[in-house]
Amino acid sequence: MDPALKAIEHKVEEGVPLSLADGLTLYRTPDIHTLGRMARAVKERKSGKKVFYVLNRYINSTNVCYAGCKFCSFAVDEFKEKERVVRMPADVVFEKALETGTNFNQVHIVGGHDPRQLSLDYWLPLMRRFKEALPHVQLSLFTAAEIEYMAKRHRLSFAALIAMLKEAGLDNVNGGGAEIFAEETRKKICPGKVNSENWLAIHEELHRQGVASNATMLYGQIESLEDRVDHLVRLRESQERSPGFNAFIPLAFHPDGNELNDCGWTTGLDDIRTFAVARLMLDNFDHIKAYWMIQGLKVCQVALQFGADDMDGTHGSTDEEMIYHSAGTQSGQFVDDRTFRALIEQAGYEPVRRNSTYEEFPHDWTPPERELIEA
């Protein structure tokens, strides 16, 4: 065992939050096996042998975005690349969610800074339509970046906008837009996006109003290890101030087709180390999510031994994720729940079906017949 890890392991066992220096030690230790063992022990204290997954639908409702992030391969300028524009009318979003049936627990929608789509006239009726037709489905919509953009458009405070979205049925806000909080790095990679202060303020307001959310970190671009650990500490402090984050999701940078392509790809070792460091640093987060669309199914399966306790969503068989596929991911678009369950069981854990807020369901649960007829 790396001697540098002994004091950290003692703090973890005593429930003492780890410092920025501890986090850097975890990132730099050559003893990946002890790191994994420590993270796995924390995961099992929190969720035992359970590993979660969700049957969901994933939709990118628009790829028009003027945030100008240098790591992005997804955004389209509608005036320069008309042939690439995707901008779904609300009816299309609703119908697409139901293309492969109604047996799902979450609809996950992310778009961009699209001046024509990020409006309350578009979203409030659509959200109410989802809730009326599919009351068993939780709406996991937007990112803090999109909420800030919408608030500016409508000249609303964050609190007022969030109250309106909640009334229309918002259950959970996605974790995107966090990127990396360190201001100097953030200015270089996403100067046109919500700043770190507002990202955290929006999530804390969501939590105060009873709307859950997730958190992310984009790693593997130009950020330093200090930036990464600083990011995790800020999330932990935010969760302390205003609890409500369900899960943390490490997002590996993908280099194809964007301005940061010289950064290259993250390695498998960096990926599993980041899962483990996150699990150990974020002691007040219940869940660490390995998103197969980003790291791939095999790395995500290994991540279950490094602190992750969630494999995220199946997606529908006709869904089309565009953000990571634009940047070169080789993952597919759909994985059935049987495959998820087999991967989790092979890793030594018990697969548990969930919704956005981690309510548990039997794996063969189906929506009540009444709801199926109405849908």
Side-chain angles (χ1 to χ4, degrees):
M1 177 178 180
D2 179 358
L5 297 181
K6 287 185 178 178
I8 295 176
E9 185 171 39
H10 181 70
K11 290 173 74 173
V12 171
E13 290 172 350
E14 294 297 315
V16 177
L18 301 183
S19 67
L20 193 146
D22 293 331
L24 290 174
T25 299
L26 294 174
Y27 257 118
R28 289 167 177 159
T29 179
D31 190 354
I32 191 73
H33 297 291
T34 297
L35 179 64
R37 176 177 59 75
M38 292 165 57
R40 188 166 60 252
V42 174
K43 171 257 177 285
E44 294 188 0
R45 278 206 298 273
K46 287 182 173 288
S47 53
K49 288 295 183 181
K50 295 178 180 177
V51 167
F52 299 91
Y53 67 97
V54 61
L55 270 60
N56 68 347
R57 295 292 180 271
Y58 181 96
I59 298 171
N60 294 131
S61 55
T62 179
N63 60 0
V64 176
C65 184
Y66 295 99
C69 302
K70 296 185 185 303
F71 53 79
C72 183
S73 309
F74 163 72
V76 168
D77 182 330
E78 61 187 314
F79 301 106
K80 296 179 180 177
E81 305 170 276
K82 292 182 179 178
E83 71 285 355
R84 290 186 56 212
V85 167
V86 174
R87 183 183 270 143
M88 296 181 186
D91 285 347
V92 172
V93 171
F94 184 79
E95 291 163 7
K96 186 161 187 59
L98 273 63
E99 277 181 347
T100 53
T102 61
N103 186 16
F104 58 99
N105 298 101
Q106 176 198 71
V107 59
H108 180 150
I109 302 176
V110 173
H113 288 199
D114 180 352
R116 285 177 54 185
Q117 191 177 88
L118 275 182
S119 76
L120 292 173
D121 290 343
Y122 178 97
W123 282 105
L124 297 184
L126 177 59
M127 294 164 68
R128 293 185 180 117
R129 186 177 180 187
F130 267 117
K131 282 297 182 182
E132 181 177 359
L134 303 166
H136 64 282
V137 172
Q138 288 188 321
L139 300 181
S140 191
L141 311 179
F142 315 122
T143 66
E146 292 169 66
I147 288 177
E148 186 199 52
Y149 189 86
M150 200 184 310
K152 288 180 178 176
R153 275 209 62 201
H154 290 281
R155 299 183 180 181
L156 291 170
S157 67
F158 298 151
L161 175 60
I162 289 167
M164 296 172 75
L165 296 174
K166 180 185 178 186
E167 186 279 330
L170 182 65
D171 295 294
N172 185 71
V173 165
N174 303 307
E179 321 311 356
I180 202 81
F181 291 149
E183 281 74 10
E184 291 306 312
T185 303
R186 193 175 186 88
K187 286 177 186 174
K188 293 175 184 174
I189 65 172
C190 55
K193 182 173 275 181
V194 60
N195 62 34
S196 54
E197 180 181 358
N198 278 352
W199 191 97
L200 291 166
I202 288 168
H203 281 264
E204 290 176 21
E205 181 59 33
L206 287 164
H207 301 168
R208 280 190 287 273
Q209 295 197 33
V211 180
S213 72
N214 292 328
T216 62
M217 175 178 73
L218 180 69
Y219 69 95
Q221 27 90 23
I222 64 170
E223 89 287 354
S224 65
L225 292 183
E226 287 81 359
D227 289 346
R228 295 189 194 185
V229 180
D230 165 74
H231 189 97
L232 297 174
V233 170
R234 293 201 210 187
L235 285 176
R236 187 179 67 202
E237 293 172 346
S238 177
Q239 179 81 318
E240 185 69 25
R241 288 191 297 269
S242 185
F245 286 115
N246 282 320
F248 171 75
I249 309 110
L251 304 180
F253 169 70
H254 281 36
D256 283 3
N258 59 62
E259 295 182 52
L260 300 182
N261 61 350
D262 286 346
C263 295
W265 296 85
T266 62
T267 66
L269 194 63
D270 192 13
D271 290 336
I272 61 172
R273 185 186 295 273
T274 298
F275 283 108
V277 175
R279 180 60 286 167
L280 292 166
M281 293 296 298
L282 297 174
D283 62 320
N284 56 3
F285 277 60
D286 287 339
H287 305 288
I288 303 295
K289 186 182 297 184
Y291 186 22
W292 66 275
M293 189 69 70
I294 299 170
Q295 283 92 358
L297 285 169
K298 294 180 180 179
V299 170
C300 287
Q301 187 186 35
V302 175
L304 302 182
Q305 300 294 331
F306 284 78
D309 72 335
D310 193 309
M311 295 273 284
D312 202 65
T314 57
H315 296 193
S317 59
T318 61
D319 291 358
E320 184 181 5
E321 190 278 343
M322 291 190 285
I323 297 173
Y324 268 88
H325 283 82
S326 299
T329 186
Q330 297 301 306
S331 301
Q333 293 282 3
F334 164 69
V335 176
D336 62 47
D337 58 327
R338 179 180 299 180
T339 300
F340 263 149
R341 298 174 65 81
L343 288 167
I344 292 167
E345 288 170 350
Q346 287 171 13
Y349 290 106
E350 172 197 352
V352 177
R353 179 176 171 178
R354 65 165 174 84
N355 60 12
S356 298
T357 52
Y358 286 83
E359 294 176 89
E360 299 178 13
F361 298 81
H363 73 88
D364 56 354
W365 181 89
T366 56
E369 186 175 356
R370 178 185 62 82
E371 294 170 8
L372 288 170
I373 292 171
E374 288 181 355

